[in-house]
């Protein structure tokens, strides 16, 4: 399978939910790189490469002692910045501690997300609008590691035409379509599709939950961050920010934050209503990605055609691979969804 692109190491990738990182080491793999996450004595999150520099034992199998992670093999301890602070049975100078350090990884905590960057110096996170804003309700969803290629998951979420089939009856319907106007806009490091339609989708989820809709916009921020917004006559109704974290070339860990403007019912009720439909929709996409990967592996490599509804075409893959796009505005085009 094609290795993961270099662009992933230079970008911020979500490694965990804040609430999952505590005083017990947490093992995570991001872009084929095993990491260990933990909170130091001051509560700040630390991320280290999950390999003890001494004899390469996994640090994630150790425990926290005095705010430093202790390797189970010989008991060396490493501070949140990676410095070795103890070699049991031996005296240790500060310079020796620096020489024997574990490798730290850049990490930050934001709006309930733990983000890491494997190689420093890449672009910062883009402006993500209402994500984390105090005048909105938010809840996180995650479901562990999925089989599938991160690129195919990005294509899935950006592609409206699968919703009539894979999510037939829940989101849209295969037997009853509605006229829509599709447009595409691109900047150098993002691309978005805009769907204008006269009413919410014809599946049960929209018909039961959604206020009037004018349009939905789904934007990919290179390389793997997607934000979808639904808007009605009174503005934003729902925003979903999804971090598609590649784990290996054939697996990924998606994390999604659901954001709604405060006011329309209590946050917990909106969360419960959304989760009711989210589970089956997510199961359908997860199953589709796994089946797609099985078949790609059966044939040895992907070979994709772009059809008339694939308006983003190869540009999703280009952003994923770290290439810049020509800014563009295309459409609107008339289609049936
Ligand atoms: S391998 Fe970790 S302390 Fe020796
Ligand atoms: Fe889907």
């Amino acid at each position: 399978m094609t290795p993961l692109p270099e662009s992933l190491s230079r970008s911020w990738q979500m490694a965990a939910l804040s609430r999952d990182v505590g005083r017990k080491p947490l093992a995570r793999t991001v872009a084929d790189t095993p990491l260990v996450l933990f909170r130091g004595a001051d509560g700040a999150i630390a991320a280290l490469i999950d390999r003890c520099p001494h004899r390469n034992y996994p640090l994630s199998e150790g425990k926290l002692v005095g705010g430093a992670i202790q390797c189970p093999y010989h008991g060396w301890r490493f501070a949140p910045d990676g410095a070795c602070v103890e070699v049991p049975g031996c005296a240790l100078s500060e310079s020796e501690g620096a020489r024997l350090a574990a490798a730290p990884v850049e990490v930050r905590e934001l709006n309930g997300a733990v983000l890491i960057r494997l190689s420093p110096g890449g672009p910062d996170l883009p402006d993500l609008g209402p994500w984390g804003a105090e005048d909105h309700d938010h809840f996180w969803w995650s479901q562990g590691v999925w089989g599938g290629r991160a690129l195919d998951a990005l294509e899935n979420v950006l592609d409206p035409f699968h919703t009539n089939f894979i999510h037939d009856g829940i989101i849209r319907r295969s037997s009853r379509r509605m006229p829509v106007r599709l447009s595409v806009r691109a900047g150098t490091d993002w691309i978005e599709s805009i769907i204008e339609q006269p009413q919410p989708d014809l599946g049960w989820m929209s018909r039961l939950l959604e206020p009037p809709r004018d349009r939905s916009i789904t934007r990919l921020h290179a390389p793997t961050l997607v934000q979808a917004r639904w808007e009605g006559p009174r503005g934003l109704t729902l925003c979903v920010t999804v971090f598609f974290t590649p784990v290996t070339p054939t697996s990924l860990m998606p994390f999604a934050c659901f954001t709604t403007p405060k006011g329309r019912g209590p946050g917990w009720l909106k969360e419960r209503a959304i989760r009711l439909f989210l589970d089956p929709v997510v199961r359908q996409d997860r199953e589709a990605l796994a089946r797609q990967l099985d078949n790609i592996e059966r044939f040895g490599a992907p070979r994709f055609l772009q059809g008339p509804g694939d308006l983003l075409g190869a540009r999703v893959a280009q952003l994923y691979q770290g290439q810049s796009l020509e800014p563009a505005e295309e459409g609107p085009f008339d289609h049936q969804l």
Side-chain angles (χ1 to χ4, degrees):
M1 193 57 67
T2 344
L4 291 171
E6 188 49 35
S7 56
L8 301 176
S9 328
R10 294 190 302 272
S11 62
W12 287 102
Q13 293 288 330
M14 186 161 168
L17 297 172
S18 288
R19 60 172 183 250
D20 290 341
V21 185
R23 309 277 175 192
K24 256 174 68 180
L26 180 71
R28 283 289 151 91
T29 298
V30 175
D32 255 346
T33 307
L35 302 171
V36 57
L37 307 173
F38 60 95
R39 283 184 197 274
D42 60 357
I45 293 188
L48 303 175
I49 299 291
D50 191 11
R51 173 158 76 160
C52 178
H54 182 217
R55 292 293 182 266
N56 290 190
Y57 204 92
L59 289 172
S60 57
E61 292 178 19
K63 61 180 183 195
L64 285 165
V65 177
I69 189 163
Q70 184 177 56
C71 176
Y73 200 170
H74 309 90
W76 290 21
R77 282 195 305 128
F78 303 93
D81 66 356
C84 181
V85 291
E86 187 191 6
V87 172
C90 309
L92 184 71
S93 68
E94 206 168 303
S95 60
E96 271 293 271
R99 185 179 71 81
L100 302 175
V105 168
E106 221 180 338
V107 62
R108 72 202 259 201
E109 204 175 354
L110 190 63
N111 301 335
V114 180
L115 301 153
I116 62 98
R117 188 159 62 174
L118 295 168
S119 321
D124 206 349
L125 280 180
D127 176 6
L128 291 169
W131 180 56
E134 270 180 23
D135 54 348
H136 287 65
D137 292 310
H138 311 272
F139 72 88
W140 277 103
W141 168 94
S142 84
Q143 209 186 49
V145 178
W146 291 20
R149 303 190 312 156
L151 176 57
D152 294 337
L154 293 172
E155 288 223 310
N156 168 288
V157 74
L158 288 158
D159 154 45
F161 286 91
H162 82 281
T163 57
N164 297 72
F165 277 82
I166 290 284
H167 310 300
D168 191 3
I170 303 184
I171 297 184
R172 295 180 185 271
R173 294 172 60 179
S174 60
S175 58
R176 205 175 135 217
R177 289 177 173 256
M178 76 165 93
V180 299
R181 283 149 67 88
L182 286 178
S183 318
V184 174
R185 294 199 318 140
T188 52
D189 58 358
W190 57 270
I191 191 163
E192 70 184 9
S193 72
I194 302 152
I195 306 176
E196 293 170 272
Q197 59 185 64
Q199 52 181 302
D201 301 335
L202 296 175
W204 279 111
M205 180 163 72
S206 295
R207 286 163 66 188
L208 285 176
L209 293 187
E210 199 180 332
R213 183 192 309 182
D214 287 340
R215 58 182 199 159
S216 61
I217 305 155
T218 311
R219 180 181 287 204
L220 167 65
H221 294 278
T224 53
L225 174 52
V226 173
Q227 194 174 56
R229 284 176 286 141
W230 285 262
E231 294 173 358
R234 302 215 318 253
L236 182 80
T237 56
L238 172 67
C239 171
V240 187
T241 308
V242 195
F243 293 82
F244 287 94
T245 303
V247 175
T248 67
T250 56
S251 63
L252 71 145
M253 207 167 174
F255 298 92
C257 185
F258 289 76
T259 297
T260 48
K262 279 196 197 291
R264 291 186 54 241
W268 65 266
L269 188 62
K270 288 187 283 185
E271 173 172 349
R272 203 165 284 183
I274 292 172
R275 281 192 192 276
L276 193 66
F277 288 95
L278 188 60
D279 285 348
V281 168
V282 160
R283 204 175 315 124
Q284 290 162 341
D285 278 328
R286 185 174 181 165
E287 174 68 19
L289 279 176
R291 297 292 297 135
Q292 184 184 16
L293 174 64
D294 284 349
N295 214 29
I296 288 173
E297 288 184 325
R298 200 157 65 122
F299 283 90
R303 197 169 71 179
F304 291 178
L305 289 180
Q306 304 298 347
D310 298 316
L311 299 179
L312 307 185
R315 288 175 288 186
V316 176
Q318 286 167 350
L319 288 178
Y320 175 71
Q321 283 151 4
Q323 297 164 25
S324 306
L325 299 183
E326 283 290 326
E329 285 200 27
E330 297 155 13
F333 307 103
D334 292 319
H335 286 282
Q336 300 275 328
L337 275 177

